[in-house]
């Protein structure tokens, strides 16, 4: 029993000695400087958190969310348009027409029996006309997609967010 008391006293002395050493280490200039740096950093973080809670920042964050949703919607619409173009074969037809036109143009001046005749020129003309119609259809689809994006307010939200982000940067710059 006496041995337990001695052991407990020894542990208490060691703990007290360790606590004294810790207190001595805390009072060193390096540790104090580190604690001051932590305190300054915590103050800056607190200011940033308070800045994020302002109505302007809440609105900006909401605008970023809306922009993200609108961009996802626009991306889906463009992907759907591309899928429809592939399904209708417009892209393949345009590619085939360009390949045919290139072959016909390359055959000019070869001096062999495959020289271009009047029918070949008509075929090139028809193929070129079909290619331009396909390109016009593609442009119309892209125009409709862009128009839809404008109507959904993506561009307006982006402009508002840029303006508000600029105002916030000016506020933080003047505060620093």
């Amino acid at each position: 029993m006496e041995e337990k008391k001695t052991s407990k006293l020894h542990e208490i002395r060691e703990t007290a000695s360790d606590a004294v050493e810790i207190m001595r280490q805390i009072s060193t200039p390096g540790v104090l400087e580190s604690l001051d740096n932590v305190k300054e950093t915590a103050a800056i973080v607190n200011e940033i958190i308070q800045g994020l809670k302002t109505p302007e920042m809440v609105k900006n964050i909401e605008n970023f969310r809306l922009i993200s949703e609108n961009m996802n919607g626009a991306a889906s619409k463009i992907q759907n348009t591309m899928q429809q173009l592939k399904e209708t074969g417009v892209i393949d037809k345009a590619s085939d027409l360009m390949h045919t036109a290139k072959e016909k143009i390359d055959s000019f001046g070869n001096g062999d029996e495959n020289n271009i005749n009047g029918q070949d020129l008509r075929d090139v003309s028809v193929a070129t006309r079909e290619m331009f119609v396909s390109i016009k259809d593609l442009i119309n689809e892209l125009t409709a997609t862009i128009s839809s994006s404008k109507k959904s307010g993506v561009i307006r939200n982006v402009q508002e967010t840029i303006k508000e982000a600029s105002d916030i940067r000016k506020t933080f710059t003047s505060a620093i």
Side-chain angles (χ1 to χ4, degrees):
M1 180 104 147
E2 232 175 274
E3 191 176 308
K4 281 186 178 180
K5 287 182 183 179
T6 307
S7 169
K8 289 274 186 188
L9 285 174
H10 182 68
E11 286 179 20
I12 292 171
R13 281 186 202 141
E14 282 185 19
T15 303
S17 174
D18 290 345
V20 168
E21 180 61 27
I22 290 170
M23 295 298 284
R24 200 174 299 135
Q25 289 294 325
I26 288 177
S27 65
T28 62
V31 172
L32 291 175
E33 184 180 332
S34 294
L35 290 174
D36 285 341
N37 287 341
V38 169
K39 183 179 174 183
E40 289 174 14
T41 303
I44 291 170
V45 168
N46 190 31
E47 287 178 23
I48 292 171
I49 289 172
Q50 294 306 317
L52 289 173
K53 290 180 180 179
T54 63
E56 296 87 14
M57 281 304 292
V58 170
K59 186 176 179 182
N60 281 339
I61 291 169
E62 178 64 17
N63 284 342
F64 279 120
R65 185 188 66 75
L66 290 173
I67 289 169
S68 175
E69 287 176 1
N70 288 333
M71 291 299 236
N72 286 339
S76 295
K77 288 178 183 178
I78 290 172
Q79 189 175 17
N80 289 340
T81 300
M82 289 303 295
Q83 184 64 34
Q84 289 173 354
L85 289 172
K86 285 181 183 177
E87 288 174 2
T88 59
V90 170
I91 294 174
D92 292 334
K93 287 179 183 176
S95 177
D96 291 344
L97 290 173
M98 290 185 341
H99 180 71
T100 302
K102 183 181 181 311
E103 286 178 348
K104 295 295 181 181
I105 290 171
D106 287 346
S107 69
F108 276 111
N110 284 345
D112 58 13
E113 60 191 50
N114 291 326
N115 281 340
I116 302 254
N117 59 32
Q119 181 60 39
D120 292 335
L121 290 176
R122 280 188 289 280
D123 291 345
V124 169
S125 176
V126 169
T128 304
R129 189 177 307 120
E130 289 176 2
M131 180 179 69
F132 284 126
V133 168
S134 296
I135 291 171
K136 179 182 159 196
D137 291 342
L138 175 63
I139 290 171
N140 289 339
E141 283 287 332
L142 292 175
T143 303
T145 301
I146 290 170
S147 175
S148 172
S149 294
K150 285 181 181 178
K151 288 179 184 175
S152 68
V154 172
I155 294 173
R156 186 181 69 249
N157 287 339
V158 170
Q159 289 171 337
E160 287 178 14
T161 302
I162 289 171
K163 182 186 176 298
E164 290 173 6
S166 175
D167 292 345
I168 290 170
R169 182 193 58 80
K170 288 176 185 175
T171 302
F172 275 105
T173 304
S174 65
I176 294 175

